[in-house]
Amino acid sequence: MTKFTKDHEYIKTDGTVGITQYAQEQLGDIVFVELPAIGKTLKQGDEAAVVESVKAASEIYAPASGTVVAVNEALSGEPGLINTDPDGAGWIFKLALDDAGELDGLMDADAYARIAV
Amino acid sequence: MAMNNQGRPTGIGSAGVAANGSSLLPNEPLLFEIGDADHSGVDLPDVEIDGSFLGGFARKSALDLPGLTEPEAVRHYVRLSRLNYSIDSGMYPLGSCTMKHNPRLNEKMARLPGFADIHPLQPVSTVSGALSLMDQLGHWLLTLTNMEAVALSPKAGAHGEMCGMMAIRAAQQAAGQGHRNIVLVPESAHGTNPATAAFLGYQVKPVPARADGTVDVNAVKAALSPEVAAIMLTNPNTCGLFEPEIIEIAAAVHEAGAYFYCDGANFNAIMGVVRPGDLGIDAMHINLHKTFSTPHGGGGPGAGPVVLSKALAPFAPVPFVRKGQGGLALVEHAEGGHLGRITAFHGQMGMYVRALTYMLSHGADGLAQAAKDAVLNANYVKARLQAVFSVPFDGQPCMHEALFDDSFLKDTGVSTLDFAKAMIDEGYHPMTMYFPLVVHGAMLIEPTESESKATLDAFCDVMLDLATDAKAGNAARFTSAPTRAPRRRLDETRAARSPILTYTPREDLPQAAE
Amino acid sequence: MRYLPHSAAERAEMLAVIGASSAEALFAGVPEGALLTEPVELPFHQPEYVVEAQMKRLASLNHAAGDGPFFIGAGAYRHHVPASVDHLIQRSEWLTAYTPYQPEVSQGTLQMLFEFQTQVAHLTGMDVANASMYDGSTGTAEAVLMARRVTKRNRIVLAGGLHPHYRDVVRTYLGDGPDLVKLAADPTGDDLGLEEIDGNTAAIVVQTPDVFGRLQDIKAAADAAHQKGALLIVVVTEIISLGLIEAPGALGADIVVCEGQSLGNALNFGGPYVGLFATRKDLVRQMPGRLCGETVDADGRRGFVLTLSTREQHIRREKATSNICTNAGLCALAFSIHLSLLGEAGLKRLARLNHLKAVKLSRMLGTVPGVEVLNTSFFNELTIRLPVPAAPLVDLLARAEILAGVPVSRLDPGKPELENLVILAATELTSDADIEMLASSLHAALEGDA
């Protein structure tokens, strides 16, 4: 089940992280993504990546603690994937979670829908 | 468009004919499309050299620099210039930018050979007039601010901030207070303030704004601690308001052992009327290119001298002019606590000449009148617009700029950006938008003292007409705007996703759309 | 007051619309007592002709470079600027425009900046250039900070021939410490400092021609830096040299910073000048300063915008890549116009002419007994050693209205080995008669001294 943070990131049970549909709408056209290095270890809430639109740069925080095991290289050439398919082809990085239990503290889709307005 | 192998248009190209057919809106080709490596607008003897002193480093790589003869150059740059809006052609209501008239006497004086044609490393005995000019400019700035010392050399506002904050850091290090690592910055601050603090390694701690748009002394007190090095506050603030508790804020900051840095970007509202030194400020930069009428030049050069309190004066950067028994001396090398250089030479001399010329022209009385007129004009615009526009903070008269939010555009389908672009079609440069960040869809209007009542009335009539039209549901006028400018809205996403930052000849020029 | 349009009646009318009793009432937010009731103690307003006379008097107290033989360089150079340059930059639409944040009504400035960026990239041999810095010295400090971001290393090596003022600016920006290695200047030896580059080094900064006028081996510096994973920052303070000397980009430089004053801009006692900043394409997002990029408008027409601005302070706030906001737009315009007027052919001719004048200067100074020319290579500037301390002699010649160069002790004081050195520059404005007068006056002064 996909979980959500108050900072509008999602994380899937397999550790895939991206930003929500709502977040991409708020940011507008994404023009650049700064990806984390594979192998980097992150604590929950650490700055993991940066997505830039024309007018703003926004940090993406790690929704849970873990190690970066994959990054979406396709975003380097086509950052707009985050706009067109944020929870599919527009994923940003993938974590090997330290503790899957951390996800229990995040919002489910219903709870997130209430703040994403 | 067809191109030859040098990337120049071959047929009768687009030059001089804009898409809308008006030859008065030129669509000027790039220098690299019209210039030629063999053309030159400068006659020089073609001398031979033997190369024996070049150490084997003679240039072999291509230069690829097209040249223009003088008539070609004059036409290219005159045609390009006509694609720009400017103060001289119309009102420039950009909040926080102080786009006032740039007197031409300033330009004439800056070009006197005695100012323009002197080298920063000439023997000091040959530049006594330059030292005297710097001393006089400093005297005016110190008298207007009631401060102790001035560092003239910062090249622009952000550079002045850096200089002032470095002086604060140096003073605290000298006092054994170097551990202080937090700088308080109100949410309404210019983006350069937190940037400067972070640049110097400080942790930035935001101070929330009060509902009336000003800073609460109690919020500052709550944020102060032995780790706080300074507060950076803009006054008048970016909402266009004078901070009513500024003296209490200064006292609280000093009591906590911290310094008070003031962003002087808005000094135009109070020059000759309020002296920052009387408010307890320790350091403040002054944008000569805003307050003292030196031209913006399409983005510089600026000049950002910093005035310093007695506590910070010993930490001003070199070089500076010092009054001694034998007259004026130039101190070029750091001694005692003074900071080293923040730029190679003495700063923006060309701007000093212009600013001092402006000060001498206005005098103490004229500068105060200019500040009062700037405030009068902003309040007049606010008064004329507020029946239709929405004013977020109406607790006190505004200072030199009037702030509106976008609530009057609610449900019209028109955004602040759309509204601004529609102003272009009416012949005005847009106001400052989406700043300060504490207001939703902010519109910040700074008319400056240079605008006549007739100009302000015409401007307000247009603004009211636009607002009325937006509310009447005519969104298309806004969302498609501008349509009467040299270009329609530009695709910034495309520019940022695959940046083209230098000219390279290509077959698929976007101009093919014509 | 000639710059203030309102009459007293209009002010009253406007106050009535506002509903305020007086102009002072509009300052209601000012705390009690802080509002001045009298003007500050400064002179009152004056007619234009009075101000003009006052300023002219101040200007007349200075000895202008054009008033006599002039050989001062060391980071700022006296060149001829074509009349059309100054005429064009004073057009209202250039002079009185704001930063081009509204691209629809700023295409003139934006296209000019795009052309400027291209010119700078071509001159330096780099992929990309920004829309200008304050000047060469602050640009150098920003380049050093950029190198630290790119390499995530801290150590910086400054070659001994870097202009001492540039070295001071870097030190002020970075703070002194073990991570800032400043090689002592040795104008006759190897003071590049390539051996100081180690695995923690972010960059080495090499100036060419250096402050003594020497041309440095950029290729060797690039190889040494790259071998250790460091960047090479090349500083050029005399931009005309690139018409004759190999482009740093062609020799492996990663960042090139130049003082662009020599083209289009007067000496101005040190400012405003224009810093040039160029780098490799892959480093562009770490580059400081504004950038102009090409795009299209809603009708598909080519146009230009400021781009990649999320790196900048007004948006990125505490995460910005630099301390620059307002830059040097009008000086960049003057630079660009002057370079367009020269073109490739003109720049090469100008560079050769400068070099030839310096060769003449070198030969003539070499004939003065006691004077030793230290340079084996130079562009338009060189260093001589006198048999006596340089500063008093330069002052002596200044009293005879000959501005004979810069004593190195003024730039880098307290170093006995540099005390007798003078740096002299020649440009296209230096006449053979100037050179002869310098040599004979120097000769006479040294004889008088002995």
Side-chain angles (χ1 to χ4, degrees), chain B residues 114-115 128-130 132-133 136 356 360, chain C residues 53-62:
Chain B
F115 294 135
S128 60
S132 177
L133 182 133
Q136 285 186 40
L356 184 64
L360 292 172
Chain C
Q54 282 178 336
M55 296 303 288
K56 279 185 171 161
R57 198 185 150 270
L58 274 182
S60 73
L61 299 175
N62 298 324

Side-chain angles (χ1 to χ4, degrees), chain B residues 212-246:
Chain B
D212 68 357
T214 61
V215 176
D216 183 347
V217 64
N218 291 317
V220 173
K221 281 180 180 165
L224 283 167
S225 72
E227 275 67 53
V228 172
I231 187 169
M232 295 182 83
L233 197 84
T234 307
N235 185 58
N237 71 22
T238 59
C239 302
L241 304 171
F242 199 99
E243 289 290 349
E245 292 174 357
I246 191 163

Side-chain angles (χ1 to χ4, degrees), chain C residues 95-133:
Chain C
L95 186 74
T96 76
Y98 189 68
T99 302
Y101 289 138
Q102 298 297 319
E104 300 88 347
V105 287
S106 310
Q107 284 299 304
T109 296
L110 287 162
Q111 181 170 329
M112 177 279 287
L113 291 175
F114 186 78
E115 294 175 356
F116 169 83
Q117 289 174 183
T118 308
Q119 287 174 315
V120 173
H122 289 189
L123 256 181
T124 55
M126 303 301 288
D127 301 327
V128 287
N130 73 12
S132 80
M133 308 295 287

Side-chain angles (χ1 to χ4, degrees), chain B residues 5 39 84 154 176 235 430 487:
Chain B
N5 61 4
H39 282 204
N84 278 355
N235 185 58
R487 285 291 180 281

Side-chain angles (χ1 to χ4, degrees), chain B residues 260-483:
Chain B
F260 185 168
Y261 187 90
C262 181
D263 181 327
N266 294 339
F267 189 53
N268 201 49
I270 58 171
M271 60 173 177
V273 181
V274 177
R275 299 184 302 178
D278 297 343
L279 306 172
I281 285 159
D282 293 295
M284 181 178 94
H285 71 268
I286 297 170
N287 304 78
L288 299 185
H289 52 291
K290 294 180 181 179
T291 312
F292 295 105
S293 81
T294 75
H296 276 74
V306 179
V307 289
L308 299 168
S309 63
K310 199 164 188 175
L312 295 180
F315 303 96
V318 291
F320 52 84
V321 175
R322 178 185 281 162
K323 250 194 194 105
Q325 289 178 334
L328 296 174
L330 184 65
V331 179
E332 295 193 274
H333 296 283
E335 47 184 63
H338 285 290
L339 290 172
R341 287 171 188 269
I342 57 167
T343 174
F345 300 117
H346 317 300
Q348 307 287 66
M349 176 70 167
M351 302 296 121
Y352 306 162
V353 178
R354 291 171 174 87
L356 184 64
T357 302
Y358 176 85
M359 291 170 174
L360 292 172
S361 293
H362 273 81
D365 56 334
L367 291 176
Q369 187 63 57
K372 287 176 186 170
D373 281 357
V375 171
L376 177 70
N377 283 359
N379 278 285
Y380 184 70
V381 168
K382 182 180 157 202
R384 282 218 46 202
L385 299 186
Q386 68 183 355
V388 182
F389 285 66
S390 31
V391 178
F393 309 121
D394 203 16
Q396 54 161 287
C398 65
M399 296 302 288
H400 66 311
E401 51 194 358
L403 177 64
F404 303 96
D405 64 24
D406 63 357
S407 54
F408 76 101
L409 292 174
K410 197 165 185 293
D411 300 326
T412 59
V414 176
S415 68
T416 292
L417 180 73
D418 298 330
F419 193 92
K421 297 299 184 190
M423 287 168 68
I424 294 174
D425 280 338
E426 304 307 315
Y428 290 98
H429 192 280
M431 74 302 253
T432 291
M433 290 173 274
Y434 302 105
F435 180 83
L437 307 176
V438 292
V439 168
H440 197 270
M443 300 182 178
L444 189 62
I445 298 177
E446 180 181 359
T448 84
E449 72 276 15
S450 303
E451 302 304 336
S452 68
K453 178 171 178 296
T455 304
L456 295 177
D457 279 329
F459 173 73
C460 290
D461 290 344
V462 163
M463 294 294 275
L464 291 169
D465 174 66
L466 284 171
T468 308
D469 212 25
K471 289 181 176 186
N474 191 3
R477 175 181 178 185
F478 298 86
T479 53
S480 63
T483 58

Side-chain angles (χ1 to χ4, degrees), chain B residues 52-67:
Chain B
S52 56
F53 292 103
L54 296 181
F57 303 121
R59 184 158 186 151
K60 297 181 191 76
S61 65
L63 271 161
D64 282 335
L65 293 169

Side-chain angles (χ1 to χ4, degrees), chain B residues 33 41 46 59 61 68 77 84 88 111 117-118 122 298-299 341 343 361 365 373 377 487-488 491, chain C residues 2 6 11 45 65 86 92 97 102 109 123 135 172 244 246 268-269 295 299 302 327 340-341 352 410:
Chain B
E33 294 160 353
D46 196 1
R59 184 158 186 151
S61 65
L68 302 172
Y77 291 100
N84 278 355
D88 286 352
R111 286 168 171 79
D117 193 24
I118 53 174
Q122 277 182 220
R341 287 171 188 269
T343 174
S361 293
D365 56 334
D373 281 357
N377 283 359
R487 285 291 180 281
R488 294 189 56 206
D491 187 345
Chain C
R2 60 187 178 275
H6 299 328
R11 289 191 181 105
H45 71 275
D86 198 46
S92 293
Q102 298 297 319
T109 296
L123 256 181
D135 64 9
T172 308
L244 184 59
E246 185 56 284
N268 284 327
F269 202 49
T295 187
D299 290 334
R302 177 170 69 187
N327 51 8
S340 303
L341 282 165
R352 285 199 301 270
R410 179 163 176 191

